[in-house]
Amino acid sequence: MYGRYTQELGVYAKEEAARLRDGGVRDGGGMRRSTSVRSRAADLLEYEKDPCAKCQSCASRCQKFLISRVGEDWIFLILLGLVMALVSWVMDYAIAFCQEAQKWMYGGLDSNMLLQYIAWVTYPVVLITFSAGFTQILAPQAVGSGIPEMKTILRGVVLKEYLTFKTFVAKVIGLTCALGSGMPLGKEGPFVHVASLCAALLSKFMAALFGGIYMDTHSPPLT
């Protein structure tokens, strides 16, 4: 109270008592009853203004209970594992679909060997060209495996636009098209960059949800 009120404690107590005495409802129940009535009326008014206030209060209590029992770090790691598993599954499904489409196209042209050859060569060239062009236009930072850049970031050097949602989209789509074309590439190296992108984006979500240690996830860019 000393940090909150600039007046002397005794003066403030007298003024507060006078305000409660003048504003209280004198119905024989005393000040305690009038104060409780006013607090209940205020709560009722708050619920009437915001119908979702009760749900928000319940969600806040559940959030505090979950954090106290599990911890923010474990929640972050569980969400990161689920997101990365989902991204990996979607990419594998899309890659398999692209490769099956190439086989279907080749099998449908079995009556003409020249058309089979053109389709077999053109299909991967189109996918590779689209992968390179899309990545270069949307986010050039997604080019390559991304491991050298991640090592640089871990040493404390800030690289612009390397951990953004735009880079994540370019990386996932470009890598999917490149692998779907049939090129003998692996996704283990680029997936390190993809996982780092997911962790950076998820940390922003955790900052908005929990705050705390996730608030300062990115340092200001170097000039």
Side-chain angles (χ1 to χ4, degrees):
M1 296 181 71
Y2 281 106
R4 184 174 178 182
Y5 305 106
T6 56
Q7 297 177 344
E8 293 293 332
L9 185 59
V11 177
Y12 168 76
K14 292 180 181 179
E15 292 179 356
E16 189 69 10
R19 185 182 66 81
L20 292 175
R21 186 167 53 251
D22 294 338
V25 180
R26 296 178 176 84
D27 57 351
M31 288 297 169
R32 186 172 300 173
R33 180 187 177 114
S34 63
T35 303
S36 63
V37 170
R38 282 201 306 273
S39 63
R40 291 176 184 173
D43 294 339
L44 182 60
L45 182 61
E46 181 181 357
Y47 286 138
E48 289 178 353
K49 288 182 178 179
D50 188 5
C52 299
K54 199 168 185 179
C55 297
Q56 293 174 357
S57 177
C58 181
S60 177
R61 288 196 296 268
C62 293
Q63 175 182 330
K64 292 179 180 178
F65 175 79
L66 187 63
I67 294 175
S68 62
R69 293 293 182 180
V70 180
E72 298 177 7
D73 294 338
W74 283 105
I75 297 175
F76 174 80
L77 294 174
I78 291 171
L79 290 177
L80 180 60
L82 293 175
V83 170
M84 287 307 303
L86 179 61
V87 171
S88 179
W89 179 82
V90 171
M91 289 181 62
D92 289 340
Y93 182 83
I95 292 168
F97 178 81
C98 292
Q99 293 176 352
E100 289 296 327
Q102 184 181 14
K103 295 179 181 178
W104 173 81
M105 185 184 302
Y106 182 82
L109 299 173
D110 55 353
S111 60
N112 194 323
M113 186 177 298
L114 179 60
L115 291 179
Q116 277 186 328
Y117 173 77
I118 293 175
W120 187 263
V121 173
T122 304
Y123 183 82
V125 169
V126 170
L127 283 180
I128 294 171
T129 303
F130 172 78
S131 174
F134 180 80
T135 304
Q136 184 65 32
I137 292 173
L138 183 62
Q141 295 81 9
V143 175
S145 67
I147 293 180
E149 290 80 6
M150 291 311 305
K151 289 181 179 179
T152 304
I153 292 174
L154 290 176
R155 289 184 63 86
V157 179
V158 179
L159 300 180
K160 295 181 180 180
E161 303 294 330
Y162 269 89
L163 297 175
T164 59
F165 181 73
K166 184 170 63 173
T167 307
F168 172 77
V169 173
K171 192 80 174 183
V172 171
I173 295 179
L175 182 61
T176 302
C177 293
L179 295 177
S181 66
M183 292 186 66
L185 301 174
K187 70 174 186 178
E188 290 80 8
F191 226 64
V192 174
H193 190 194
V194 174
S196 302
L197 288 165
C198 286
L201 297 173
L202 187 60
S203 65
K204 293 183 179 181
F205 171 75
M206 296 290 290
L209 191 63
F210 298 112
I213 61 174
Y214 299 99
M215 292 300 293
D216 299 326
T217 56
H218 298 287
S219 301
L222 296 178
T223 55

